[in-house]
Amino acid sequence: MPLHVPPAPAPALRTVLTALGSPTAVREARTPSLRLAQGPVTPELPLPVHVLDRITPAGASATRLAGWRFLIHSGDRAVAAADTMLTPDGWAFSRFFEGPYITATEHALRQAETMQQPYQARLLSVPELYMLTLWLHGDCTADGASGHPAATDLLVPLAPAPPGIAAHRPYLVTELLPVLTHRVTPAPLLGSPA
């Protein structure tokens, strides 16, 4: 089943293209693979990056859009990623980076393309756990820039995942959120009321 990638805002894409065309931005980026890429590099697979700021015993708080991430391809593989962020003046280029999440994102996207049900691809960051997941949203027509994980959505933790959470295993939101809640909710102090 095809995986649906929501369209990125045109100004966000323009900021990435401008940064890629700037020798200074590419040269000063801490991404050796981007500096050493042979041939043209192109931003592909824009994914909205949502952040789950707080997880409470009652469950997940609402997510917020933090930006858009573009995988930067050289030939047939991603060599880096570019992040954009929304500022009071509109979309702005944030940074180039590389590392294990680039490969993990590509792997999770390929895995999602083999699923029977169509999904809209997003990223969901859980800063409290230093965790990033591919968020497979069941409503392919939804605005990729807004929303909250639905109970039937899937979350695929990207490698490296926190200890005890399997990377690249699709979890229903209702299955993974209780685990995350348990991980980030501090235990009551001894002798204090629960």
Side-chain angles (χ1 to χ4, degrees):
M1 197 53 65
L3 189 62
H4 297 271
V5 177
L13 175 58
R14 277 195 300 275
T15 67
V16 172
L17 291 170
T18 300
L20 283 171
S22 165
T24 305
V26 172
R27 189 172 48 253
E28 290 179 2
R30 295 185 178 149
T31 53
S33 60
L34 182 59
R35 288 194 308 270
L36 301 172
Q38 300 293 316
V41 292
T42 56
E44 299 177 10
L45 295 169
L47 297 170
V49 180
H50 294 263
V51 175
L52 187 59
D53 285 318
R54 278 192 25 211
I55 303 174
T56 65
S61 65
T63 63
R64 65 177 170 83
L65 180 68
W68 285 79
R69 177 166 297 165
F70 297 78
L71 295 181
I72 308 298
H73 277 80
S74 176
D76 63 346
R77 69 182 191 91
V79 295
D83 277 350
T84 63
M85 62 183 184
L86 190 57
T87 69
D89 295 325
W91 287 99
F93 170 74
S94 176
R95 67 186 177 127
F96 290 118
F97 68 96
E98 62 182 67
Y101 285 131
I102 308 300
T103 305
T105 300
E106 278 196 313
H107 175 79
L109 287 167
R110 281 193 305 273
Q111 185 181 3
E113 287 175 345
T114 66
M115 295 182 175
Q116 296 299 311
Q117 179 178 338
Y119 288 102
Q120 182 188 79
R122 304 171 176 198
L123 293 172
L124 181 65
S125 173
V126 186
E128 289 180 279
L129 294 176
Y130 302 101
M131 179 179 179
L132 185 65
T133 69
L134 178 63
W135 171 11
L136 299 173
H137 189 55
D139 182 358
C140 295
T141 62
D143 176 5
S146 63
H148 184 74
T152 56
D153 287 354
L154 296 177
L155 297 175
V156 182
L158 302 181
I165 297 174
H168 298 292
R169 177 185 177 262
Y171 292 88
L172 282 170
V173 165
T174 54
E175 179 184 10
L176 186 58
L177 279 183
V179 173
L180 301 182
T181 301
H182 177 71
R183 290 277 179 103
V184 300
T185 303
L189 297 173
L190 290 175
S192 64

